[in-house]
Amino acid sequence: MEKVGIVMGSDSDLPVMSKACEILEKFGIDYDVTVISAHRMPDVFFEYAKNAENKGYKVMIAGAGGAAHLPGMLAAICPLPVIGVPIHTKTLSGVDSLYSIVQMPSGIPVATVAIDGAANAGLLAAKILAVSNEGLREKLKDYADGLKNGVLEKKEKLEKLGYKEYLKQKQ
């Protein structure tokens, strides 16, 4: 069975990273969640990264704020695909995290989603796993159809009510 490893640098990242968990649960994908600071506990982090493949993980999701070295270091040590989630920070609104994760040197790729974009990280992990899992691929197609139908319903309602009444009802 496919399994995703989710790691974050601080438990304060959990409200954001829980969105990845929710998406993986929606698709029936097994995952583990942990907190490991690459800076405060490098020995534990290196052990985790070295053993990720042995634990049965197929994809890694790593959330980090500030200096945000966790996803890049994980990608440097672990041979699995790594998806980085930049976490919003008070100081620079997460732009520091985004730049740190997205600007990886050649040879150390990290797929990077939007600031606080853990839901998309979960979806990207599911899509990576779906390359070799037709059942999961069908679930992703159904999910996309659901998104489309939701927008079509809003479109029809807007056209029926007009924008002023539609806005009133949304408030």
Side-chain angles (χ1 to χ4, degrees):
M1 166 145 233
E2 292 90 357
K3 192 171 180 182
V4 175
I6 300 175
V7 61
M8 63 205 83
S10 170
D11 66 343
S12 64
D13 302 336
L14 191 54
V16 169
M17 297 303 288
S18 68
K19 303 301 182 198
C21 301
E22 291 169 12
I23 291 292
L24 295 173
E25 288 169 11
K26 181 180 293 239
F27 290 103
I29 298 169
D30 193 19
Y31 64 90
D32 291 328
V33 180
T34 193
V35 174
I36 301 174
S37 171
H39 296 117
R40 294 182 190 97
M41 47 199 295
D43 54 335
V44 175
F45 171 74
F46 276 99
E47 193 65 29
Y48 176 82
K50 282 188 215 175
N51 289 308
E53 187 177 16
N54 295 336
K55 291 182 179 184
Y57 301 134
K58 302 294 183 200
V59 180
M60 305 300 295
I61 299 174
H69 292 124
L70 189 72
M73 287 303 299
L74 184 58
I77 299 167
C78 173
L80 303 173
V82 175
I83 304 165
V85 179
I87 303 293
H88 183 274
T89 56
K90 292 178 185 172
T91 309
L92 297 172
S93 302
V95 174
D96 50 342
S97 312
L98 174 66
Y99 286 166
S100 181
I101 297 171
V102 80
Q103 293 289 9
M104 292 302 299
S106 181
I108 313 295
V110 175
T112 309
V113 296
I115 296 167
D116 288 351
N120 272 351
L123 282 166
L124 183 54
K127 287 185 172 198
I128 291 168
L129 296 172
V131 167
S132 60
N133 183 326
E134 190 174 331
L136 182 54
R137 203 163 41 251
E138 289 305 314
K139 288 181 184 179
L140 283 161
K141 289 176 186 177
D142 291 344
Y143 179 83
D145 286 344
L147 293 176
K148 175 184 174 182
N149 291 335
V151 173
L152 287 173
E153 288 172 14
K154 292 175 186 177
K155 174 188 179 295
E156 290 170 9
K157 186 175 179 182
L158 173 62
E159 290 171 353
K160 179 180 177 184
L161 297 175
Y163 84 90
K164 288 180 184 178
E165 185 60 32
Y166 184 84
L167 284 175
K168 266 192 230 177
Q169 288 188 10
K170 284 191 63 93
Q171 295 173 346

